[in-house]
């Protein structure tokens, strides 16, 4: 799947749009291009597995939107989630520095009856716990496919390196 990266990067450079702290391709249906059919099939297959095994939805995924993301030095992605979608994902095309993160944020409203577990000891402040932290930090590398429910808030911290980070984002339905 990495063979597509140079072509997708060129496609995004043609019509960049500044959005939410980073650069996004003007084309929001990148994977509809027949030249990327095998990449789209691979992503669709993995997303279908995610729907069935994680979200327990017995249906095939349908990629509805897809776009290229470029984070240059000092750029980030602010917290966001997606409506009109069930599963979303990010294909990490080119993460040259090897220490990039995606952050997943716990829903803090909890208006649906859930409860929040937060560390209460003062010496725990700033320490990450898998189940009680309000943010989960996931390291990402080139070639990885990250899948998550579309309602889950996610963000990307500021790129403090001189390397551009490239990814392909997408949403799906059933």
């Amino acid at each position: 799947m990495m063979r597509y990266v140079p072509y997708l990067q060129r496609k995004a450079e043609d019509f960049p749009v500044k959005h939410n702290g980073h650069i996004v391709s003007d084309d929001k249906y990148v994977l509809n291009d027949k030249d990327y059919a095998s990449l789209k099939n691979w992503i669709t297959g993995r997303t279908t597995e995610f729907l069935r095994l994680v979200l327990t939805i017995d249906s095939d995924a349908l990629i509805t939107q897809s776009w290229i993301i470029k984070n240059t030095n000092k750029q980030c992605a602010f917290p966001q989630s997606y409506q009109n979608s069930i599963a979303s994902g990010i294909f990490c095309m080119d993460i040259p520095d090897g220490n990039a993160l995606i952050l997943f944020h716990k829903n803090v409203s909890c208006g649906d009856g859930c409860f929040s577990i937060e560390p209460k000891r003062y010496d725990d402040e700033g320490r990450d716990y898998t189940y009680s932290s309000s943010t989960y930090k996931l390291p990402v590398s080139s070639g990885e496919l990250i899948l998550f429910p579309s309602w889950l808030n996610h963000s990307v911290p500021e790129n403090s390196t001189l390397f551009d980070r490239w990814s392909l984002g997408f949403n799906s339905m059933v």
Side-chain angles (χ1 to χ4, degrees):
M1 298 304 117
M2 298 304 290
R3 69 180 181 265
Y4 294 107
V5 171
Y7 304 104
L8 291 166
Q9 287 173 325
R10 277 196 294 277
K11 187 176 187 79
E13 291 285 9
D14 289 342
F15 301 101
V17 176
K18 182 91 172 187
H19 171 74
N20 193 11
H22 55 261
I23 298 168
V24 179
S25 63
D26 183 47
D27 185 355
K28 301 300 184 279
Y29 302 94
V30 171
L31 291 176
N32 287 353
D33 188 321
K34 62 180 174 53
D35 291 338
Y36 307 120
S38 64
L39 176 62
K40 183 176 183 176
N41 289 339
W42 177 73
I43 289 173
T44 300
R46 302 300 71 77
T47 306
T48 296
E49 288 177 21
F50 177 77
L51 288 174
R52 292 180 178 171
L53 299 174
V54 177
L55 300 181
T56 65
I57 298 171
D58 190 21
S59 187
D60 292 337
L62 171 67
I63 305 298
T64 56
Q65 291 181 303
S66 52
W67 57 94
I68 308 299
I69 304 160
K70 178 182 178 183
N71 279 13
T72 62
N73 180 259
K74 305 249 186 269
Q75 290 185 324
C76 64
F78 300 113
Q80 59 189 315
S81 60
Y82 303 112
Q83 297 178 348
N84 301 318
S85 180
I86 293 176
S88 297
I90 298 167
F91 174 54
C92 301
M93 297 191 313
D94 189 11
I95 314 292
D97 56 319
N99 64 3
L101 298 171
I102 183 169
L103 307 177
F104 293 103
H105 305 274
K106 185 186 287 185
N107 180 356
V108 293
S109 69
C110 289
D112 58 359
C114 69
F115 63 93
S116 179
I117 302 171
E118 298 293 336
K120 295 298 181 198
R121 295 176 33 201
Y122 293 109
D123 59 343
D124 282 349
E125 279 189 43
R127 187 169 173 189
D128 289 330
Y129 290 97
T130 301
Y131 299 106
S132 63
S133 183
S134 59
T135 303
Y136 181 78
K137 300 173 187 172
L138 180 68
V140 296
S141 301
S142 297
E144 290 185 322
L145 180 66
I146 312 300
L147 299 166
F148 50 93
S150 299
W151 54 261
L152 184 59
N153 269 322
H154 60 286
S155 65
V156 175
E158 182 178 286
N159 181 358
S160 60
T161 73
L162 298 178
F163 302 104
D164 292 341
R165 296 174 178 161
W166 291 87
S167 56
L168 181 143
F170 63 92
N171 290 325
S172 69
M173 286 294 285
V174 293

